[in-house]
């Protein structure tokens, strides 16, 4: 390992040379209390900025061991340090001058959710922070003086003020860790007491705008109906009260613009922890919860949708159904089955984004179009069996059909953003009305044994390009990944080589870095797992277990980049199910 003085000498020796000479800086350098590694150098000042990382040993960083011993605390600390480092970078960004991206200092910009990111990882031995730097240049000539200023002045200050406990506000660090531990305690309580979700009194559910996840100022605080109120005692925050949603079928109704969809959106994002001040810190949902919606035009591969659709006029087999252009009802039926395959215990559905003919058929329509002529068994007729026989609850927002009143266990009315439990009142009214006919055929849980076809994209072995891992170890990995081109398109989609995976309707993806991570996960799946013998479950579980046990390294090439955020296993299933390749 080289010293920081050697880096300074090397840097000065390439001053005013052609920009590619910067590549000679790649390597690791000792900076006293931290290690700096230059992982990848950009090709020119207008290309994507260079990738670097720093490592700080725990004995130097000085954080209490309790803050990174367990996963909830560790993830919260990683998130807090990432935000701190990002804040420090703002003070020095583009302070070094030059052309193109010269002087850029950047790391992940975190949102309202607390997520596992490659930007900052804490292991039992050290803290690793990954970031980007735009190496300065005059035109395409190296400006070593400005890079020296970044690496020897700006960066050490940022590291010192971000990753050393004595330099931080200890109370804020403690609050971030304690909040995460309280949120995890609620999740455990939900699982142990047959609850699907919890919404604390005083929560601010509306967001600032359609393009901002910040809480809306002046909005009505949430307050639980007395009949659904639950008091929890948390490890750090003490007692809090809020609305508990029991397992089963919960119906959310009310007039337009009264907060039905706002509550559902808060619940769908409640699968993640949120930072203090978000307003939804204590909106906690079963971590397997899945938002379902119609997705016209999506691809479906070998899914057993016979639970909802069968006896098609063209005699097509729906027990192993495939299509490149699904209808709204077909896509939503596949979504239910794929969700069950992914281990989902709670479906979240908004009538506004669902296929009407998939959700319900009224009495008059059943008289006009007989059961023998209708291949669709609506969700209305399956929801009860989904809970009682498959263990999957439903929270449904409805505004146009009263048929769901008859099957609901809990009915919640949103009135000017205030929730009211109207279950007893509505059940009494149901006595005076004819219940919808339920004629669903026998319920059968699919076996989920569908196999993936063998990937048509062959992977190159190490010897194809003389690839060697870090330190020249040719045995580090069996395959090279960087020849497969990945391109992400915000939070909507990504492409793997020439195949685009459309994820715009996977609504619980909250960060573009999750899309980037899914692309890396799928790439490894295509290259190493999809051999025509493994099932979807086996493939997804292998990928997720690899990420859990070995981190990001198996999914990357010669270095782990900043810009990867861990998705849930439900989103990994969704990604694989939408991959047309």
């Amino acid at each position: 390992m080289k010293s920081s003085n050697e880096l300074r000498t090397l840097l000065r020796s390439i001053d005013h040379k052609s920009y590619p000479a910067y590549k000679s800086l790649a390597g690791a350098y000792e900076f006293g209390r931290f290690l700096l590694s230059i992982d990848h150098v950009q090709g020119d000042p207008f290309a994507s900025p260079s990738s670097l990382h720093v490592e700080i040993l725990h004995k130097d960083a000085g954080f209490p061991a309790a803050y990174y011993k367990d996963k909830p605390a560790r993830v919260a600390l990683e998130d807090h340090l990432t935000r701190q480092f990002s804040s420090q970078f703002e003070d020095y960004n583009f302070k070094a001058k030059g052309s193109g991206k010269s002087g850029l200092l950047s790391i992940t910009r975190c949102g309202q959710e607390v997520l596992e990111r490659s930007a900052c990882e804490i292991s039992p031995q050290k803290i690793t922070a990954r970031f980007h730097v735009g190496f300065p240049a005059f035109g395409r000539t190296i400006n070593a003086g400005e890079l020296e200023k970044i690496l020897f002045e700006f960066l050490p200050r940022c590291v010192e003020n971000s990753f050393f406990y004595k330099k931080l506000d200890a109370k804020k660090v403690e609050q971030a860790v304690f909040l995460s531990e309280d949120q995890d305690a609620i999740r455990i309580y939900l699982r142990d007491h047959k609850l699907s979700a919890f919404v604390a009194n005083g929560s601010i559910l509306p967001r600032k705008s359609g393009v901002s996840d910040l809480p809306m100022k002046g909005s009505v605080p949430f307050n639980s109906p007395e009949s659904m109120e639950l008091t929890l005692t948390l490890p750090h925050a003490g007692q809090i009260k809020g609305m508990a949603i029991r397992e089963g079928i919960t119906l959310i109704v009310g007039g337009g613009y009264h907060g039905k969809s706002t509550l559902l959106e808060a619940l769908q994002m409640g699968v993640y922890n949120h930072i203090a001040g978000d307003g939804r810190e204590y909106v906690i949902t079963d971590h397997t919860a899945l938002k379902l919606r119609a997705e016209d035009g999506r691809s479906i591969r070998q899914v057993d949708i016979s639970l909802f659709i069968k006896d098609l006029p063209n005699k097509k087999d729906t027990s192993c159904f495939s299509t490149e252009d699904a209808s709204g009802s077909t896509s939503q039926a596949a979504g239910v089955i794929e969700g069950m395959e992914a281990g989902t215990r709670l479906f979240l559905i908004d009538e506004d984004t669902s296929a009407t003919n998939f959700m319900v058929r009224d009495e008059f329509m059943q008289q006009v179009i007989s059961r023998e002529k209708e291949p669709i068994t609506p969700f209305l007729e399956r929801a009860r069996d989904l809970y009682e026989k498959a263990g999957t609850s439903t929270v449904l927002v409805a505004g146009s059909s009263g048929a769901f009143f008859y099957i609901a266990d809990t009915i919640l009315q949103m009135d000017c953003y205030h929730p009211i439990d109207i279950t007893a009142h509505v059940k009494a009214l149901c006595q005076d009305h004819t219940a919808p006919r339920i004629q669903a055929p026998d319920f059968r849980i699919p076996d989920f044994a569908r196999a993936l076809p063998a990937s048509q994209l062959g992977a190159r072995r190490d010897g194809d390009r003389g690839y060697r891992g870090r330190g020249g170890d040719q045995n580090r990995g069996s395959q090279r990944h960087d020849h497969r081109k990945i391109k992400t398109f915000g939070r909507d989609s990504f492409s793997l080589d020439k195949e685009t995976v459309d994820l715009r309707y996977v609504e619980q993806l909250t960060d573009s870095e999750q899309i980037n991570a899914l692309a890396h996960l799928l790439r490894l799946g295509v290259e190493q797992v999809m051999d025509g013998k493994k099932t979807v479950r086996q493939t997804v579980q292998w990928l997720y277990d690899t990420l859990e046990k070995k981190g990001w390294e198996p999914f990357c090439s010669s270095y782990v980049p900043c810009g990867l955020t861990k998705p849930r296993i439900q989103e990994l299933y969704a990604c694989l199910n939408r991959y047309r390749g």
Side-chain angles (χ1 to χ4, degrees), residues 6-16 25 144-145 148:
E6 289 177 278
L7 174 59
R8 193 191 300 268
T9 300
L10 181 58
L11 189 56
R12 291 175 178 177
S13 71
I14 62 172
D15 194 20
H16 289 88
L25 301 181
E148 184 176 340

Side-chain angles (χ1 to χ4, degrees), residues 295 298-299 501-503 506 574-580:
E295 293 183 63
R298 65 154 284 197
S299 66
V501 181
D502 189 349
L503 298 169
V506 182
C575 172
L576 196 61
N577 284 320
R578 286 158 181 76
Y579 174 54
R580 295 177 184 268

Side-chain angles (χ1 to χ4, degrees), residues 22 63 78 90 106 132 242 440-441 451-452 525 537:
Y22 264 141
F63 289 93
E78 290 170 345
E90 289 178 5
S106 70
H132 296 121
L452 284 167
R537 271 187 166 174

Side-chain angles (χ1 to χ4, degrees), residues 295-339:
E295 293 183 63
D296 298 74
R298 65 154 284 197
S299 66
I300 297 171
R301 181 69 64 88
Q302 299 176 7
V303 180
D304 183 356
I305 60 172
S306 59
L307 202 60
F308 295 97
I309 301 174
K310 63 191 307 184
D311 301 324
L312 293 175
N314 60 8
K315 306 300 181 183
K316 190 169 184 178
D317 181 16
T318 58
S319 64
C320 187
F321 184 80
S322 298
T323 180
E324 292 296 319
D325 188 20
S327 66
S329 58
T330 306
S331 65
Q332 204 158 356
V336 173
I337 304 304
E338 291 165 352

